[in-house]
Amino acid sequence: MVFTMRTRRRIQIILYNILVVIVISTSTTLANDIVMIPKYEQDNFKEMELGARIAHEELNKKDDLTFGSLIPQRATSGKDQIRYVQDATNLNAQVIMLSNNAGRAIENYTKAAHDSGSFVVTYDSPLMGGKDAGEVVHVAPVDFAQTGLVLADMALSILGGGGDFVIMGSSPKSTNQVAWIMALKKAIKNDAKYSNIRLVAEEVYYPDEDNRAGYKNKTLEIAQLKINGTYPELSLIMVPSTSGAAAAAAALVDQGLCDIMKVSGLGFPPELLRASKRGCAPEFVLFDNLDLGYLAYHASHKLVTGQLEGKIGETVNAGRLGTRQIEADPHRENALWIKLGDFIKYDESNVERASFLECLKGFCGNEEDTEFFHSKFRGKYKSKALAIIPKVTGTISFLCSLLLASYILSSRKRRSSVFGRIMVGLSISDMCSSAMWFLSTWPMPTNSWLHWGTAGTTRTCSAQGFFLQLGLCTATCYQATLLLYYFLTIVKQSRESQIKKWEIFFHVVPCSAGLGTSIAGLVLKLYNPSSRGSVCW
């Protein structure tokens, strides 16, 4: 096919515009209107981000705001958060949503962000300086005072009405944990109800390194205090940190110490399922991570759009959560908060169901507990049909498209027509997607739960998603092109020679759209095993 210079120029412009769209869509999230900065990468923070993204999709139908997240590394979380706040400020982010893990060291930077025109909304973990640190409002998962009573009640229950326990935290810079620990100490000191349980060390035990190995080592160090007789009645480690509780429980399970030591505090159900079933974590609590992120985004969005000023008494309409009111924070001076709700308590009666539901959303816990979780549910919920049926339908679809393309290409008259070439493009696109459907669950990583017949890796999963998106999107666009062709020939009575002048666009647009969305999905890491599907997409 010979193209004129004018046609080539049109093609170059189209391809350039598509490239610009791809670059913009896959660029760093720094330049977004609303930037979310969690403490670090962990399932509960991922779920908070998911909640925020759900709210973003609901609200962004009317407002053209962009949303993205910047996730610090665990080992350098505080420093990364400071840098991200500076970057977001310099790029004029309208809202910075922050779960503070840098203590007071970050407050000069959040104040600078506020002074430059950005709204600073904290969630999960606030800025102790409140408004003086630039914070407009804190979205609290629960009342921090309530946390102390809840933790004390669990300690009383697990210790059987009396006994010794210690507290292990993650970092003294984690403002929410500091408040929770203070509330716990206050509760057991001031209420006679807890007179028979004893906190044997006023100091809080912190791991030498804020990571899973650090928590495990500190847990075993604490267990030795009971074994060597230093604290013979010690039988509980209270951990107001989801990552800390998960690691502590895993250490006790692995070392067979569940009979002499228990773990409680704040826990994420999938991460504590194994320990709960082994008796290491009889009771623990957590708030709804998804709803916390959802509420925090609603507050942020309403600040940007002028529906809130950040004053006491204002009401936040938070979609499916109903309304919440901005109030004076009772635990900090010169600070405001919006409270999500109450804790959810987990024990042997509901931890399995909660873990299953979390994993359906893609949050299955730590690698060490994954195999236990998979073995718990694999036999119950795996379905061979979801893996086998697409192989049959994919094969039929592939062969039919192959026969149609071969039939057209075998005749010079058929392949020289615009209609024939559109049908060839449509057939090839369908063959691409049909081949991926035939592969079904094979490309999925071997540890993908609820899927039968997995034999791949993350890379093969991404490759399947890429070619499936390429085939489906291109085929859909070719179908639209076919409708346009029928419109031109039937309604407009256009001749073949007239339509051929524009035929190049009938192929460039579908192929570019398919390739563009496929690349975007690859860069944004959108290709993953679906919870109950049979392909990576």
Side-chain angles (χ1 to χ4, degrees), residues 441-469:
T441 57
W442 285 341
M444 292 183 183
T446 53
N447 63 349
S448 300
W449 82 293
L450 293 185
H451 296 101
W452 179 84
T454 58
T457 63
T458 302
R459 290 184 177 182
T460 58
C461 185
S462 297
Q464 183 189 39
F466 176 88
F467 286 109
L468 184 59
Q469 174 64 24

Side-chain angles (χ1 to χ4, degrees), residues 36 119 126 140 173 206 248 271 322 325 327 379 382 389 398 419 448 484:
M36 190 174 197
F119 295 105
K173 294 182 179 179
Y206 290 109
E271 294 177 344
Q325 194 169 47
E327 302 171 336
K382 272 198 172 184
I389 291 175
F398 183 90
F419 174 78
S448 300
L484 177 61

